[in-house]
Amino acid sequence: QAKARGGGRYAFFDVELRERVQRHMVLEQDLRHAVRQDQLWVAYQPVVDLRTDRAVAVEGLLRWTHPLHGVVSPGEFIPLAEESDLINSIGAHMLHTATRRIAAERPWLDLKLNANLSPRQLEDPDLQGIVQGALAESGLPARALCLEITESAIMQDPAAAARVLHSLRELGVCLAIDDFGTGHSSLAQLRRLPLDILKIDRSFVTDLADSDELRIIVGSIITMAHALGLTVAAEGIETEEQLAALRDLGCDQGQGYHLGGPVADGMPTGR
Ligand code: C2E
Ligand code: MG
Ligand code: MG
Ligand code: MG
């Protein structure tokens, strides 16, 4: 009896697992067509200079309008793309689309483009060529492109990441470490990387206004980053209190719903 129940339990989990795997495979198939069928698009979120209140850059954030499921977030489909090797073609498509768009705005707006690179893209031996290709095709100057790499991606293989970052730096692009504070890197490791911007992860900003402890932690991250010659940006600013706290701590740039969310059309013109 107990054995039969046990069997049933396993059978139940098997069905769940099978459904999950099937959904996964279907979505992966769909993603394969998404680039060709033009279902991927880029939303742009302003990055604001906290001293002048002006947008100095926009971060390009990938979106997928699925014919059945509607807009799928990158948190869902980027991991799928990473597993299936689609990330390299999707990443290249994203770079071409976004650099073209920002190059077209630049005669009027002095904006930089921030674009995210995934861990798998860092492993692509053609990455430097892909970035160079997007710059050449769009006419966007290299200094107007900032590539964001997460701290955890760098920490997967710091030596390899350092080589890739140096190869990108040769192109003249700016480099940012994204989601800082979540990836266990050390000062000594950061010092050896050719970085320009450090983006403090949203999780540090959320409770900033009500926690003296967090204020001290974020304050020391900013001091440390400045000592390394880095510009500091904070992610996920949702309230005036968080914004004021970050200004007090000397944070250089900010991004978040309070300053402007990601939008499909239109570019920030300052506040
Ligand atoms: P990220 O690079 O850290 O981007 C910031 C994320 O925070 C974005 O989510 C943005 O919409 C969201 N966000 C901005 N302001 C706020 C705020 O005030 N509050 C909250 N709660 N969230 C805020 P999104 O667009 O869903 O992107 C999630 C992640 O997906 C990105 O995190 C990035 O790691 C990845 N991603 C997005 N586009 C691309 C891409 O083109 N290539 C790669 N490889 N990854 C991408
Ligand atoms: Mg980012
Ligand atoms: Mg981030
Ligand atoms: Mg983040």
Side-chain angles (χ1 to χ4, degrees), residues 59 61 116 148 178-179 199 235:
E59 179 170 3
L61 295 160
N116 296 284
E148 300 190 0
D178 202 356
D179 300 350
K199 296 185 79 170
E235 309 188 283

Side-chain angles (χ1 to χ4, degrees), residues 14 50 66 69 90-91 96-97 99 111 144 154 173 186 201 203 219 251:
D14 270 350
L50 297 186
H66 187 284
H69 307 304
I90 288 177
H96 278 272
T97 306
T99 51
L111 283 178
I154 289 173
V173 300
S186 72
D201 190 67
S203 57
C251 188

Side-chain angles (χ1 to χ4, degrees), residues 28-238:
E28 191 181 307
Q29 275 307 319
D30 294 349
L31 192 53
R32 232 166 254 288
H33 299 295
V35 176
R36 262 173 292 147
Q37 294 178 345
D38 223 23
Q39 293 164 3
L40 295 175
W41 50 280
V42 183
Y44 298 90
Q45 181 177 36
V47 179
V48 174
D49 182 314
L50 297 186
R51 266 169 222 91
T52 63
D53 267 354
R54 299 223 146 235
V56 287
V58 287
E59 179 170 3
L61 295 160
L62 209 48
R63 298 287 179 265
W64 177 17
T65 305
H66 187 284
L68 293 179
H69 307 304
V71 178
V72 184
S73 88
E76 266 179 77
F77 71 82
I78 296 284
L80 215 61
E82 292 231 328
E83 277 171 37
S84 59
D85 267 338
L86 282 168
I87 191 65
N88 288 333
S89 61
I90 288 177
H93 176 72
M94 148 66 189
L95 274 176
H96 278 272
T97 306
T99 51
R100 227 181 283 134
R101 173 72 196 274
I102 300 308
E105 303 283 347
R106 273 177 62 88
W108 298 277
L109 292 170
D110 185 20
L111 283 178
K112 288 188 170 199
L113 170 69
N114 286 23
N116 296 284
L117 294 180
S118 81
R120 287 292 295 279
Q121 284 174 283
L122 293 185
E123 291 168 11
D124 182 359
D126 295 333
L127 180 61
Q128 191 197 39
I130 286 164
V131 173
Q132 193 167 27
L135 291 172
E137 194 219 62
S138 64
L140 188 73
R143 65 187 146 74
L145 176 63
C146 183
L147 297 171
E148 300 190 0
I149 297 117
T150 63
E151 184 190 25
S152 54
I154 289 173
M155 293 314 293
Q156 279 176 25
D157 186 347
R163 281 192 297 276
V164 176
L165 294 184
H166 281 287
S167 80
L168 294 171
R169 166 48 51 85
E170 279 172 18
L171 299 175
V173 300
C174 144
L175 297 170
I177 183 164
D178 202 356
D179 300 350
F180 183 81
T182 61
H184 316 286
S185 61
S186 72
L187 231 165
Q189 282 162 323
L190 283 191
R191 207 170 59 87
R192 274 187 251 116
L193 298 172
L195 294 167
D196 305 282
I197 296 176
L198 179 147
K199 296 185 79 170
I200 299 175
D201 190 67
R202 183 172 79 223
S203 57
F204 290 86
V205 174
T206 306
D207 299 319
L208 192 63
D210 337 290
S211 163
D212 291 338
E213 210 172 41
L214 265 181
R215 249 199 300 269
I216 291 168
I217 292 170
V218 171
S220 42
I221 293 175
I222 292 171
T223 305
M224 174 202 84
H226 283 165
L228 293 174
L230 301 175
T231 296
V232 183
E235 309 188 283
I237 303 174
E238 294 182 351

